Each structure stands twice: as C-alpha cells, then as structure tokens.
Amino acid sequence: MKIDSMITPSGLILCAGILAAVAGVLAAIGGFWSAARRSDADALLRTKTEEISTLNRKLDEFVTGGKSFCYFIPLIFKGDTSCSLRIIYQGDCPLYDLYADITDVVKLNQLVQQDMLASTPTHDFSSAGVSLRIGTISSTTPAPEHSFPLTSDYYAFSITFLSRNSRFHEYLAIAKVNQEWVPALRVSKDSDILIEQIHPEFPIGKLPWN
C-alpha cells in the first residue's frame, strides 16, 4: 500500500483505527503489567506482615513464658531412704526467676488438727512448707533437685510455681504399695490441666486433688 494512497479520508480513518487498536493493546499490556506488579507487591507485603506478626508473637511468648511450664517428679530407687524431686521442663520459652512453694499436705493437716486441739492455738504452720529458689530455667538448664527423708508410706504435696512470667500449680503424691513407691501428679495453669499422670496401682482415694 502506497503512502499517498492512505492520505485520503478513508485511509486516515483506517490509520486512526490501527493506532487506536495499538494504543488499546499497549494500554492493556500496561494495565496487566501494573496489576501483576501490584499483585506481587501485595503478596510480598502480606508475607512480611505475617513474618512480623510471627516474630511479635514469639517475642511476646518469650516475655510471658508462652506455654512453658515445669513440674517435679519423684525419684526413688530400691533401698533408698529418701526421695529426690527432680524438675522436668516443657516448652520453648524460658521461665525467669522461678520459685517453688512446696506444702506437705499431710503434715499441714496434722498441724491444723493439733492447733485446733491446743489450748492456745498458734496458727503457725510454716514447718509444713518450704520455698525453693530455682532461678531461670529452660531446656538447656540442668534440672535441680529437692530431697526429703522417707519416714512414712504416703506423701502428698501442693506445689505452686511462680516465675517472673508465669504461674502454675502441681499436686504430687507418692504411696508405698506392695513395697513399691508409686506416684500420681497433676499440673495445671489457671483452670487448664497441663499434664496428669497416675500410676495404675496408686490408690485413687489418696489422690490429693480429689
């Protein structure tokens, strides 16, 4: 097609149509490209937002203790005349400045009964409890122990763990059945039971949380 043949009203209309079509295609391509870039940017923004949210959650758990907790288990070997309470830690976040307030429930009940029968009650039951400073504990911390002599066939303890970033409670009992010591324990935080372990031969009637 010769150029001069296009310089006519119909030729000019044709050229204008071609240019409009090309412009439309270019605009569409530009629109698609812009949308794709916006989509990539939005996806990147969502990813970064999720990463920041995850980091904030981990930081919050690190400060509050998250779902971490610990509890005592009794260690008694054949022929032992004492019991060692060893701490078991579970979780991903440290527990800072941990204390354990251990109350001997059996001894406390005895002291209460004696105090009620005394002519001048003292209301002093401090000998039934002990407070242990454990310190900061995590998965890499050596497990500290607390020992007491075995002079009876049954022991029950109410233990409150208090740290800078958490608080939880444990009931722990051991009973001598057929010359063997069997344990039972329950750990809770607020109204949630975190763990419960009862030896099959433990006398149910002596569970300290019943």
Side-chain angles (χ1 to χ4, degrees), residues 152-173:
S152 177
D153 290 338
Y154 173 74
Y155 293 89
F157 302 97
S158 175
I159 307 167
T160 299
F161 291 96
L162 181 63
S163 71
R164 178 154 41 102
N165 54 346
S166 190
R167 180 189 179 98
F168 40 96
H169 182 269
E170 175 185 8
Y171 280 116
L172 171 65

Side-chain angles (χ1 to χ4, degrees), residues 114-168:
Q114 293 172 8
D115 199 65
M116 290 175 62
L117 297 175
S119 56
T120 54
T122 62
H123 305 297
D124 180 11
F125 311 123
S126 58
S127 61
V130 61
S131 181
L132 303 178
R133 185 185 185 281
I134 299 170
T136 298
I137 186 170
S138 67
S139 58
T140 60
T141 305
E145 296 183 9
H146 172 67
S147 299
F148 62 91
L150 294 171
T151 57
S152 177
D153 290 338
Y154 173 74
Y155 293 89
F157 302 97
S158 175
I159 307 167
T160 299
F161 291 96
L162 181 63
S163 71
R164 178 154 41 102
N165 54 346
S166 190
R167 180 189 179 98
F168 40 96

Side-chain angles (χ1 to χ4, degrees), residues 40 44 94 144 149:
D40 290 343
L44 180 61

